[in-house]
Amino acid sequence: DAGITQSPRHKVTETGTPVTLRCHQTENHRYMYWYRQDPGHGLRLIHYSYGVKDTDKGEVSDGYSVSRSKTEDFLLTLESATSSQTSVYFCAISSGGRGSYNEQFFGPGTRLTVL
Amino acid sequence: AQRVTQPEKLLSVFKGAPVELKCNYSYSGSPELFWYVQYSRQRLQLLLRHISRESIKGFTADLNKGETSFHLKKPFAQEEDSAMYYCALSGNTDKLIFGTGTRLQVFP
């Protein structure tokens, strides 16, 4: 497996509380991505980063924010968690770019439950 | 708009039967397509990409631009092929567009 870890691996929280998920890589890849995986929806992109302090929104970014202060870390924050954000969250990394170069390597996932 | 469609949520076959997981895409440019697989309790991993034109674990996929399809095929399914399969499209952005996935169940 590529050097990607996610923490925590499991979390149960209550509606309205802030939650931060961490993705850490040791591959020095430029691109990092956050997805959520839900039955019937597959993988949907939340936010991604194309460099330190460079981020952009994905398909389902509402209610989420991200930060990348170092190449190796990409944080996903739910400012005020809602039950609709109960999901499995995956981080992915890529060395670059577009087309056939966009092979992404995935972390193990974080299962988040919002009560 | 870029889109990937996997019409089957679940595909069940018996061991030794042929398998075809369907993937159709929508993209006006020249696409790069991938198949990812997620085995139970494992992380998502790349199975194959169309540009490689290779067979991985007995699976192949051919890009058909006329039908805008990239179906995944295997002539003889094995029980260990049971997994979730995602088709993904890379166009002219730094993002991958994933389909909704197809769960393959191979019965003994």
Side-chain angles (χ1 to χ4, degrees), chain A residues 29-77:
Chain A
H29 281 357
R30 177 184 175 189
Y31 292 85
M32 298 185 75
Y33 304 82
W34 276 109
Y35 295 91
R36 57 179 292 174
Q37 184 185 42
D38 303 288
H41 293 279
L43 282 161
R44 293 181 291 174
L45 182 66
I46 305 171
H47 282 281
Y48 73 106
S49 169
Y50 47 94
V52 173
K53 298 191 188 305
D54 292 323
T55 64
D56 203 352
K57 295 179 180 180
E59 176 186 358
V60 289
S61 58
D62 287 348
Y64 301 94
S65 62
V66 290
S67 67
R68 192 169 177 201
S69 58
K70 298 185 290 185
T71 298
E72 57 266 34
D73 288 326
F74 192 33
L75 303 180
L76 176 71
T77 297

Side-chain angles (χ1 to χ4, degrees), chain A residues 33 37 99-100 103-104 106, chain B residues 36 38 43 49 86 90 94:
Chain A
Y33 304 82
Q37 184 185 42
S100 62
E103 176 181 351
Q104 295 185 13
F106 284 79
Chain B
Y36 280 80
Q38 186 178 27
R43 61 184 74 191
R49 66 182 97 189
Y86 290 97
S90 181
D94 302 326

Side-chain angles (χ1 to χ4, degrees), chain B residues 34-72:
Chain B
F34 305 81
W35 276 99
Y36 280 80
V37 60
Q38 186 178 27
Y39 301 103
S40 180
R41 295 189 176 85
Q42 294 187 26
R43 61 184 74 191
L44 222 71
Q45 58 187 280
L46 179 68
L47 180 61
L48 56 80
R49 66 182 97 189
H50 97 267
I51 197 169
S52 300
R53 306 184 71 82
E54 57 189 347
S55 173
I56 304 293
K57 298 184 178 183
F59 284 98
T60 59
D62 292 318
L63 177 61
N64 185 322
K65 290 188 177 181
E67 296 184 356
T68 60
S69 69
F70 187 57
H71 303 329
L72 184 67

